[in-house]
Amino acid sequence: MKIGVFVCHCGSNIAGAVDPAKVAESARALPDVVIATDTLYACSEPGQQGIIDAVKEYELDGVVVASCTPRMHEATFRRAVERAGINRYMFEMANIREHVSWIGKDKEANTNKAAELVGMAVEKLRRDRPLIPKQFDINKRVMIIGGGVAGIQAALDCADGGLEVILVEKTSSIGGKMAKLDKTFPTVDCSSCILGPRMVDVAQHPNITLYAYSEIESISGYVGNFQANIRKKTTYVDWELCTGCGLCMEKCPSKKSTDHFNEKVGVTTAINIPFPQAIPKKAVIDAEFCTKLIKGKCGVCAKVCPSKAIKYEMEDEVVTENVGAVVVATGFDLFDYSVYGEYGAGKYPDVITSLQYERLLSASGPTGGHIKRPSDGKEPKNIVFIQCVGSRDKSVDRPYCSGFCCMYTAKQAILTKDHIPDSQSYVFYMDIRSPGKMYDEFTRRAMEEYGARYIRGRVAMVYPKGEKYIVRGADTLMGTTAEIEADLVVLAVGAEAAKGSPQLAEKLRISYDKYGFFMEGHPKLKPVETNTAGVYLAGACQGPKDIPSSVAQGSAAAAKVLGLFSKDKLESDPQVSHVEIKRCVGCGKCVETCPFGAVKLVDFRGMPKAEVIETVCQGCGICAVTCPQGAIQLEHFTDNQILAEVNALCRS
């Protein structure tokens, strides 16, 4: 076997802490290595061409590249060796950047460690064998989970591209958080006026099937062939018959149901349509407040419904959809502000969240667009906004910046002045983060044109004084304590992952961070991909994002799906497990531990034997380490290859 070793400088990334020439020199002494050299940038075009030329000149059978993480460039180098005429799986990569140069300062020790990693890669490559991918058909339907602005954008882009789209939304209407906003920054456009037509487009698009008030029950399969079970939650209203006339709402005697759309500011009826522009505009009965469902009495809605759509006996229904790709756009939830007891959130009625304030500003809100104190309905004059509630605060385990709070606070200060000209807004802030287009100008406009007074410092406490509230905090610019007498206090609440995100991630087999946000394939190069092929991300499910960023990412995810579906067949990764029938005792432990359902027991001459479904197997190797007989081996990572690497390390 003839092996070539190429050690990358990666500029000063590697060469600053490792001596690539010495690593290459040590590699020349390894068995089967016929050429070992160092190169400035192995991933560059000249670098790749150098590898191709060496393969041809030395008639190499395999190549080792010592550079950065395989996650970033392994596919690049595999394509390069394939262009040189070698099977792409006769390639190994040693990560001497993240595993060596980035974590160690001792250059001599780093060089020795890099040489050891190269030695391990060479030993593994000596036991590699060519692998041939298999091709399989692809189902060109896409499922989008989440009907917020990012999901809507992705759905419309995919549908306009000719794809059949399944859109799943857990609430009874699409629109997400944006549908609850009165205006958007920095243009102060009417949110409903922007989003409403897009929502109607979703409803009327012939390529889109909408499952509202539904959630993902389970999902199985692999890229190109996913099978999703969708639970359609009980609405107690036959949506095929419901015309959205609203007569049931008018007549419903139970008028104390929680108004989730209006962020619990006020109440609604037990049967309701969340807002006038809802898509679909269908009624849903809240079983927790419906007298008929609780006590078996009433039934007014069924009596007055002109289309006889009320069905009290209705139950959940599970439907199955087959798709080839999934876009996750589940958005975010607001931080539980009641953690900040010193602000009186949840205790004082006139301390509210920014989204609740948004509903007070909205003409479709519970007050018809008039700003009123929840406690007594009076118009507030002094309004204090407190920023960074649940963001940039390690004490509540939210050290990250939610990104858009500075901007929506500036918007609300401007809108407050429009609604109540003789009002005064105060904003307690840590610093202002407004990096978007026209964002900084917008915040300055709030201060200079609308007179909002910004006070830099954290608020220590809020307490009532008569009908008003005293907001006490630090003014770090003046070096004094600030006390503001407020009629209304608005908390600029930060964003956190949507509830149920970790559970959904496990169903989709994608990664999520410690805060529950889904993780992208690579923060720079794969911002909408996940570590599971065929599953993409859009919007704030990945991290806090404003509307323009969410829309852009929705389109990006749609572009990825269209690119994926541009092929009629996909190639499976041949790095999968295989079973040696003679050694398998049919214990079934591999079946129990496989997280992807890729192993099953079959009858082989009257004996149970394990069998791997290659198109489902993700090559994680759990079955291989579970098998007590060693009957399952993972291609490209066999026991012999792993032991060869360990032996090489022990010899060095």
Side-chain angles (χ1 to χ4, degrees):
M1 189 173 189
K2 295 180 179 178
I3 296 175
V5 176
F6 302 87
V7 184
C8 181
H9 289 236
C10 196
S12 61
N13 268 311
I14 293 174
V18 174
D19 188 338
K22 281 191 175 179
V23 176
E25 183 182 349
S26 68
R28 293 186 195 109
L30 297 173
D32 293 339
V33 174
V34 296
I35 175 179
T37 185
D38 56 300
T39 179
L40 189 58
Y41 288 105
C43 60
S44 67
E45 186 175 2
Q48 293 184 49
Q49 188 59 46
I51 294 172
I52 293 171
D53 293 342
V55 169
K56 294 177 179 176
E57 181 180 352
Y58 293 93
E59 297 180 342
L60 300 178
D61 301 306
V63 169
V64 170
V65 171
S67 59
C68 56
T69 166
R71 197 176 176 186
M72 182 179 292
H73 283 316
E74 187 176 55
T76 302
F77 291 122
R78 281 185 172 168
R79 285 194 296 270
V81 299
E82 198 167 44
R83 289 201 300 274
I86 302 179
N87 181 277
R88 71 176 75 164
Y89 294 96
M90 296 302 290
F91 167 80
E92 291 295 334
M93 203 163 177
N95 185 352
I96 63 171
R97 192 178 73 178
E98 282 84 345
H99 290 176
V100 182
S101 67
W102 278 5
I103 59 174
K105 296 181 179 178
D106 186 331
K107 193 166 186 176
E108 184 177 353
N110 287 349
T111 303
N112 292 335
K113 183 180 178 182
E116 290 171 353
L117 293 179
V118 170
M120 293 169 68
V122 169
E123 284 299 323
K124 181 171 183 290
L125 178 59
R126 294 178 69 204
R127 290 157 182 81
D128 279 350
R129 66 184 184 86
L131 300 176
I132 308 299
K134 293 181 179 178
Q135 290 192 330
F136 58 90
D137 293 327
I138 186 170
N139 184 331
K140 295 186 178 181
R141 303 172 82 220
V142 57
M143 181 173 70
I144 295 169
I145 306 172
V149 65
I152 288 172
Q153 185 67 35
L156 289 174
D157 285 347
C158 287
D160 289 342
L163 302 181
E164 190 176 341
V165 177
I166 308 298
L167 178 57
V168 182
E169 166 57 40
K170 68 178 180 181
T171 64
S172 61
S173 172
I174 60 173
K177 296 286 190 301
M178 185 176 174
K180 298 183 179 184
L181 304 181
D182 177 42
K183 301 285 195 305
T184 61
F185 60 78
T187 51
V188 199
D189 291 320
C190 168
S191 183
S192 295
C193 302
I194 300 172
L195 186 64
R198 306 294 282 168
M199 294 166 61
V200 174
D201 288 345
V202 168
Q204 297 181 348
H205 205 295
N207 287 353
I208 298 177
T209 301
L210 173 60
Y211 288 103
Y213 212 58
S214 303
E215 295 189 63
I216 300 299
E217 181 84 0
S218 63
I219 188 165
S220 59
Y222 50 94
V223 57
N225 294 279
F226 291 105
Q227 187 177 63
N229 291 323
I230 302 167
R231 178 173 291 276
K232 297 171 67 177
K233 295 181 287 187
T234 308
T235 60
Y236 301 102
V237 179
D238 187 339
W239 281 8
E240 295 292 330
L241 300 176
C242 179
T243 60
C245 66
L247 188 59
C248 53
M249 293 178 63
E250 293 179 17
K251 302 299 183 182
C252 178
S254 178
K255 301 183 185 300
K256 295 184 178 179
S257 177
T258 304
D259 193 346
H260 294 286
F261 183 78
N262 283 320
E263 291 293 307
K264 302 180 182 178
V265 179
V267 292
T268 185
T269 50
I271 184 169
N272 67 83
I273 299 170
F275 57 105
Q277 299 87 4
I279 297 291
K281 192 176 181 182
K282 307 291 183 182
V284 176
I285 293 179
D286 188 338
E288 189 178 345
F289 295 92
C290 176
T291 308
K292 176 68 176 179
L293 294 173
I294 296 173
K295 300 179 179 177
K297 299 178 180 178
C298 188
V300 169
C301 52
K303 295 174 186 172
V304 301
C305 179
S307 55
K308 306 300 179 187
I310 309 302
K311 307 290 182 187
Y312 297 116
E313 69 283 0
M314 186 180 281
E315 295 181 350
D316 287 1
E317 180 187 357
V318 177
V319 297
T320 302
E321 293 284 357
N322 296 311
V323 297
V326 178
V327 176
V328 189
T330 49
F332 67 98
D333 275 335
L334 295 181
F335 180 77
D336 179 12
Y337 62 97
S338 63
V339 171
Y340 288 87
E342 65 271 30
Y343 294 164
K347 180 180 177 183
Y348 305 139
D350 298 324
V351 178
I352 62 175
T353 70
S354 47
L355 199 51
Q356 288 175 326
Y357 191 64
E358 200 76 35
R359 295 311 302 152
L360 295 181
L361 290 168
S362 175
S364 64
T367 58
H370 300 291
I371 302 174
K372 297 179 179 178
R373 297 191 348 154
S375 62
D376 53 17
K378 294 181 180 177
E379 189 176 76
K381 299 299 181 186
N382 281 0
I383 301 171
V384 175
F385 298 88
I386 303 175
Q387 292 197 359
C388 295
V389 179
S391 59
R392 303 177 67 194
D393 191 349
K394 289 184 179 178
S395 68
V396 296
D397 195 28
R398 293 295 182 272
Y400 56 84
C401 176
S402 292
F404 43 66
C405 313
C406 290
M407 294 307 301
Y408 72 60
T409 298
K411 177 197 71 177
Q412 291 178 344
I414 288 175
L415 293 177
T416 300
K417 199 70 172 178
D418 286 340
H419 282 251
I420 310 172
D422 59 341
S423 66
Q424 177 63 55
S425 295
Y426 300 86
V427 179
F428 278 90
Y429 71 103
M430 293 173 66
D431 54 46
I432 299 173
R433 299 188 172 185
S434 52
K437 185 177 182 180
M438 301 296 292
Y439 282 15
D440 191 59
E441 296 92 322
F442 186 74
T443 53
R444 291 193 172 280
R445 188 178 162 202
M447 300 177 207
E448 296 166 3
E449 293 184 28
Y450 288 84
R453 291 185 56 190
Y454 276 64
I455 304 167
R456 197 185 76 174
R458 272 200 178 278
V459 170
M461 63 184 300
V462 177
Y463 60 94
K465 182 180 180 183
E467 290 186 349
K468 297 182 180 295
Y469 296 90
I470 302 298
V471 181
R472 178 182 294 170
D475 186 337
T476 56
L477 290 180
M478 299 295 291
T480 59
T481 299
E483 280 195 357
I484 307 297
E485 194 174 75
D487 298 310
L488 185 66
V489 179
V490 181
L491 306 180
V493 184
E496 63 181 15
K499 291 179 178 59
S501 292
Q503 291 77 12
L504 180 61
E506 289 171 8
K507 292 175 184 175
L508 294 166
R509 302 184 294 277
I510 60 177
S511 302
Y512 58 96
D513 63 21
K514 63 176 289 190
Y515 306 109
F517 289 112
F518 302 135
M519 291 184 69
E520 61 282 345
H522 188 279
K524 296 181 182 66
L525 302 178
K526 293 183 178 179
V528 298
E529 291 102 321
T530 66
N531 57 352
T532 298
V535 180
Y536 304 97
L537 305 176
C541 66
Q542 186 191 29
K545 288 184 179 62
D546 61 9
I547 293 170
S549 299
S550 298
V551 170
Q553 206 174 19
S555 290
K560 287 291 179 182
V561 173
L562 289 165
L564 178 72
F565 289 176
S566 65
K567 306 166 188 170
D568 293 327
K569 290 183 179 292
L570 294 178
E571 284 188 347
S572 64
D573 190 340
Q575 298 176 113
V576 296
S577 297
H578 78 277
V579 181
E580 189 176 340
I581 292 292
K582 292 180 180 177
R583 302 185 69 175
C584 178
V585 297
C587 66
K589 290 183 178 177
C590 51
V591 179
E592 296 172 6
T593 55
C594 178
F596 304 103
V599 188
K600 63 180 179 180
L601 286 178
V602 296
D603 182 77
F604 182 78
R605 297 176 183 174
M607 299 286 288
K609 299 289 182 181
E611 182 179 277
V612 176
I613 308 169
E614 293 186 6
T615 48
V616 180
C617 180
Q618 299 294 306
C620 67
I622 292 176
C623 56
V625 298
T626 303
C627 181
Q629 300 295 315
I632 295 187
Q633 293 289 306
L634 180 62
E635 292 283 7
H636 212 63
F637 295 95
T638 64
D639 290 349
N640 287 338
Q641 288 178 307
I642 303 295
L643 286 172
E645 288 185 288
V646 174
N647 288 334
L649 183 62
C650 292
R651 285 197 300 270
S652 59

